Amino acid sequence: MSSNHSSAIVPQGVCILGSTGSIGQSTLDVIRRHPDKYRVLSLSANHRDDLMLSQCLEFNPKTVVMVCEQAAQRLRENLNTQHQQQIEVLSGKQALEQIAASVDAEIVMAAIVGASGLLPTLAAIKADKRVLLANKEALVCSGQIFIDALRASKALLLPIDSEHNAIFQCLPTGMQTHSTDANIAEHGVNKILLTGSGGPFRELPIEQLQQVTPEQACAHPNWDMGRKISVDSATMMNKGLEFIEAKWLFNLDVDDIQVVLHPQSSIHSMVQYKDGSVLAQLGNPDMRTPIAHALAYPERIDAGVADFDFFQCQSFDFAAPDANRYPNLQLAIKACKLGQGACTALNAANEVAVAAFLQEHIRFTDIAKVNGEVMQQFSDASINNLDDVSRVDNDARRSANALVTAMMEGS
C-alpha cells in the first residue's frame, strides 16, 4: 500500500540564465503563479545585483551567478545583511555553465542576450535538460554545432521567441519534438510564415531614417523589450536573426520561409499547409504566453495573460517588407544562404554596431553599413567547432569596431 506522500508532485527545478532581463523577469512571474509546479533553483545576471537581490529574497534560489565579480561581491554582502547566507553566489562565465548543467535543474531558461549565451546553453543541452531557448544568437552563431549537440543528447529544445513558439504550436504534433530533423514536405507543410511588426519606423520616410535617435528606436509600438533587441526590431535585424534561427529549429531551406509584416503583432506566426490551410497562433503581445507554453509543454498553464479580445482588434494588416527600408533583414537572409561564417560575423558586427548607435557614435542607418561590410569580409570563413565560432566572432567584432571608429572620425 503506497503512502500518501508517494503521489505528491515535486516542483521541477528551474535554472534561469539571465533572470534580470525582460524574459527572465517574465519567467519568474509565470513561476510565481505556480509554486506547486516549479521552484527556482538558480539564477544568473551580468551586473544588476540590486534586482538580483530582490529576486533572491523572493525565490530563495540555491545558487546565483553574477558574471561581474564586483556585482557578485556586493550581492554576497547584501545577502549577508539580510541573513540569507545559504544562497551561494558565484561569479564568472564558467559558473553559468555549471548551473546550466546542474543535476537538480530539470528546466533551463536560456535568456542571456547575445553570443555570451552560447556556451551555457550548450552545457544545458549536453546535460539533457528541457531547454527553453530565448537566446537566438546560440543558433545564429553556431547552428550546425548546436544542432549536432542537440541530436547527440536527450535534451528537449523548446523555442521561446514568440514567432518560433507560434510556429512550433502550429506544426503537426509529429513534428514538434523532432522539428530539427523533420522534413516539412513529408508532414504536409508548404511554407513557414514569419511575422514581424515592422518596428516603429514602418511608415517613416526612408530619407529620415538617418536622423533617428536611440530613444525613438527603443520605443517599440507593441512589445516591451530591452534596448538592444528594440533597436534590432526597428532595423528588422531581429527578424533576420529569427529567420536564421527558424532555418535550424525547423530544418528549413531559405525558400521555405517567408517574412510577413503584420503591424498589429496579434498573429505571432503561421504555418501554411499543402492543402491550402494556414494555421496561425494569435494572442496578446506578452512573452509570458510562450514561456508558460514551454514550461508546461505539452500541458497548458495560466500565464497571467489577458484573453485576446477580438472585438478590440480593428483589423489584421499584412505587407511584404521593403528591402530598401530594412537592409539588415536582407543581409541576414543573404548570410543564411552564404553559410555559418557569414551568420556568425553578422551577429557579432550587429552587436557592436547597435551598441555604438545606442551610445550615439554612429547613425541608425550606419548599423546596416557596418553589418554588411563585416559580413562580406567573413563570408568564406570556415566554422567547424566552437573555437572557430569564437575566432570569427572576435575577429568580426574587431573589424566592426574599426569601422565604427572610422565613421566617428569621418563624421
Side-chain angles (χ1 to χ4, degrees):
M1 186 174 175
S2 62
S3 70
N4 291 333
H5 297 291
S6 62
S7 60
I9 298 174
V10 178
Q12 292 180 285
V14 182
C15 164
I16 304 177
L17 301 170
S19 67
T20 59
S22 60
I23 296 292
Q25 292 183 62
S26 293
T27 304
L28 287 172
D29 187 70
V30 175
I31 290 174
R32 185 182 288 123
R33 298 165 191 277
H34 302 279
D36 58 322
K37 290 182 171 65
Y38 311 104
R39 63 188 175 96
V40 175
L41 188 74
S42 51
L43 300 171
S44 86
N46 188 13
H47 61 273
R48 295 181 66 184
D49 56 288
D50 52 344
L51 180 52
M52 180 61 82
L53 176 63
S54 64
Q55 291 179 351
C56 286
L57 295 177
E58 179 179 359
F59 292 98
N60 191 30
K62 182 180 178 182
T63 310
V64 171
V65 175
M66 301 299 299
V67 175
C68 170
E69 171 57 45
Q70 290 82 2
Q73 189 55 41
R74 288 194 299 269
L75 181 61
R76 289 187 195 103
E77 292 169 359
N78 287 324
L79 285 171
N80 284 338
T81 302
Q82 297 284 344
H83 307 291
Q84 298 292 327
Q85 294 93 332
Q86 78 281 4
I87 299 176
E88 181 183 26
V89 180
L90 306 175
S91 65
K93 293 180 179 179
Q94 282 191 323
L96 295 173
E97 297 176 53
Q98 181 182 326
I99 61 170
S102 168
V103 174
D104 297 331
E106 297 160 88
I107 301 171
V108 176
M109 167 56 80
I112 296 174
V113 175
S116 56
L118 172 59
L119 290 178
T121 305
L122 276 173
I125 292 287
K126 292 173 182 176
D128 300 331
K129 307 300 183 185
R130 173 185 287 237
V131 179
L132 281 49
L133 186 68
N135 172 287
K136 63 178 65 67
E137 291 84 0
L139 278 169
V140 171
C141 293
S142 61
Q144 193 62 59
I145 297 167
F146 190 97
I147 295 302
D148 287 345
L150 180 65
R151 287 171 179 163
S153 75
K154 296 177 183 176
L156 174 61
L157 186 69
L158 295 165
I160 295 300
D161 267 352
S162 60
E163 295 82 359
H164 301 97
N165 183 267
I167 292 165
F168 184 93
Q169 293 194 51
C170 294
L171 288 174
T173 306
M175 270 192 73
Q176 288 184 341
T177 53
H178 303 286
S179 64
T180 56
D181 295 311
N183 182 317
I184 62 166
E186 291 177 0
H187 288 270
V189 174
N190 211 18
K191 191 181 294 183
I192 301 299
L193 302 170
L194 189 66
T195 62
S197 71
F201 310 128
R202 185 173 50 86
E203 296 179 342
L204 188 73
I206 290 178
E207 63 272 13
Q208 294 181 26
L209 286 174
Q210 65 177 355
Q211 307 300 332
V212 162
T213 67
E215 285 64 37
Q216 290 171 321
C218 290
H220 193 281
N222 302 325
W223 295 91
D224 180 17
M225 305 181 293
R227 286 170 69 80
K228 194 267 181 184
I229 195 171
S230 294
V231 174
D232 282 349
S233 179
T235 67
M236 280 200 83
M237 175 56 84
N238 196 44
K239 203 56 49 184
L241 298 178
E242 288 171 6
F243 189 104
I244 299 169
E245 184 183 5
K247 170 195 184 302
W248 292 110
L249 276 175
F250 307 115
N251 195 28
L252 303 172
D253 292 327
V254 171
D255 293 337
D256 295 330
I257 313 167
Q258 183 177 356
V259 177
V260 179
L261 289 190
H262 170 52
Q264 289 84 9
S265 294
S266 300
I267 297 175
H268 300 141
S269 275
M270 298 171 277
V271 174
Q272 190 163 38
Y273 286 81
K274 287 182 177 178
D275 62 6
S277 300
V278 179
L279 298 189
Q281 190 266 340
L282 290 77
N284 290 318
D286 191 316
M287 288 307 297
R288 291 176 298 176
T289 294
I291 290 166
H293 171 265
L295 274 172
Y297 178 83
E299 307 298 327
R300 298 274 180 172
I301 59 173
D302 173 33
V305 179
D307 288 346
F308 185 77
D309 188 345
F310 282 90
F311 304 117
Q312 291 298 315
C313 184
Q314 301 300 315
S315 62
F316 289 145
D317 296 318
F318 305 98
D322 180 351
N324 293 320
R325 181 179 296 279
Y326 302 114
N328 281 289
L329 173 60
Q330 306 309 313
L331 287 173
I333 295 172
K334 183 179 179 181
C336 205
K337 294 177 180 177
L338 287 171
Q340 190 59 64
C343 293
T344 303
L346 178 63
N347 180 72
N350 185 63
E351 289 189 17
V352 171
V354 170
F357 166 68
L358 286 171
Q359 293 165 7
E360 300 187 43
H361 293 161
I362 63 173
R363 291 180 172 181
F364 182 77
T365 47
D366 289 333
I367 297 173
K369 294 176 184 176
V370 172
N371 291 344
E373 196 161 329
V374 174
M375 184 190 80
Q376 206 57 46
Q377 288 174 21
F378 294 89
S379 59
D380 297 326
S382 176
I383 291 185
N384 301 304
N385 52 51
L386 288 177
D387 288 340
D388 290 341
V389 173
S390 180
R391 174 179 51 78
V392 172
D393 181 83
N394 289 332
D395 290 349
R397 287 173 194 274
R398 273 194 291 272
S399 182
N401 274 309
L403 284 168
V404 167
T405 300
M407 287 177 173
M408 291 168 63
E409 291 172 350
S411 61

